[in-house]
Structures are given as C-alpha cells and as structure tokens.
Amino acid sequence: MKTNFEKKPGQDVLKPSESFVFENPISKYTPNEHMGIEKVTLEDDFTKIDFVYIAPKNYINGGWIQMDANCFIRPVGYDVSYKLIRAENIPLAPTKYHFKSSGQVLHFSLIFPAISKEIKCIDFIEKLEEGTYFNFFNIALQHNEPTLIRIINEN
C-alpha cells in the first residue's frame, strides 16, 4: 500500500498548539482563606482555571459550595469578558455541593473561551454583588521566581 504524504496546494500544515500554564498565580484580591487558584491554563481553544476550596471549620459538616452560572473572566484593562462554558466537579447554582466534614478539600475547574496568550492579568468574577461570592482580582499570568522568605532576628 502506497501512502502519499505530500502537501497539496491549499492545504495548511498543522501547527502544534502551545499551552501556557501558571501554577499558584498571585492575585491582588482573594475572596477568603478557604479558596485559592491552583492553576490557570491558556490553550488555543479555551482558558481553564483550577481551584481548590477547603470547607470551613465553623460549620460542623463543612457547609456547602456552588458556582454562579454567569461567572466570567475579564482581562484587566480591556472592555471584554468571557462567560463560563463548563464547570467540572462543582455544581452550578442553585444546586449545591454539601461537604461531609469541615476541612474537606474540593478541587474543581472552570472552563472559559480562549483568551490571548499575550494577556498578563485577569479578573475572575463569580458575581459583582454584595455577598460571599468568589471574586479574584488582578490574577497575574506570569511565571514567578520562587520567593525566599528571610526571618531577621532583632534581639
């Protein structure tokens, strides 16, 4: 069997996609000590944010969590926002995920349309209203150098 691998006129050569992954990104505002961003991934087809949530100790059973279906991301300094496409491992309101105990950890992901890989900073907005919504502002999309913490003994 003979196979022809020659490029025909008008055909495009497939280019490998390049992922940009930012682990433990820094943000200027975090909603509370129970939720954090583990990773932001920029792909050619989508933007993915991986979160972690630890059920608070002030609830015997850990309480509950949900995500607003109208949450979005927006590049800082631009007049455009990108609405949620899909949620993984977290229910959308009004459905709730009920924890079994305080301190229980939930990892979940939110998928949005692709943003430019040139964007350096985004906001994640669950809902811009009064209440206990998960809003992160100025999430830095950059690779940070490890931070050295120095303790100075002044005695």
Side-chain angles (χ1 to χ4, degrees), residues 88-104:
E88 298 174 348
N89 205 37
I90 188 169
L92 298 176
T95 306
K96 297 174 183 171
Y97 175 86
H98 293 274
F99 291 98
K100 293 177 177 56
S101 63
S102 62
Q104 182 181 343

Side-chain angles (χ1 to χ4, degrees), residues 12-23:
D12 290 326
V13 175
L14 292 177
K15 296 178 184 175
S17 65
E18 187 175 12
S19 297
F20 286 34
V21 178
F22 305 97
E23 296 193 18

Side-chain angles (χ1 to χ4, degrees), residues 36-104:
I37 298 174
E38 292 184 301
K39 181 171 40 174
V40 176
T41 305
L42 306 182
E43 295 280 355
D44 291 340
D45 300 331
F46 62 88
T47 300
K48 180 179 179 182
I49 304 178
D50 296 310
F51 294 91
V52 61
Y53 184 84
I54 302 170
K57 297 191 185 301
N58 55 328
Y59 298 108
I60 295 170
N61 68 352
W64 54 266
I65 189 173
Q66 64 185 16
M67 185 55 59
D68 191 284
N70 294 314
C71 66
F72 60 92
I73 58 173
R74 65 179 179 203
V76 173
Y78 294 85
D79 278 339
V80 64
S81 61
Y82 299 87
K83 287 188 65 166
L84 178 70
I85 295 172
R86 185 175 77 242
E88 298 174 348
N89 205 37
I90 188 169
L92 298 176
T95 306
K96 297 174 183 171
Y97 175 86
H98 293 274
F99 291 98
K100 293 177 177 56
S101 63
S102 62
Q104 182 181 343

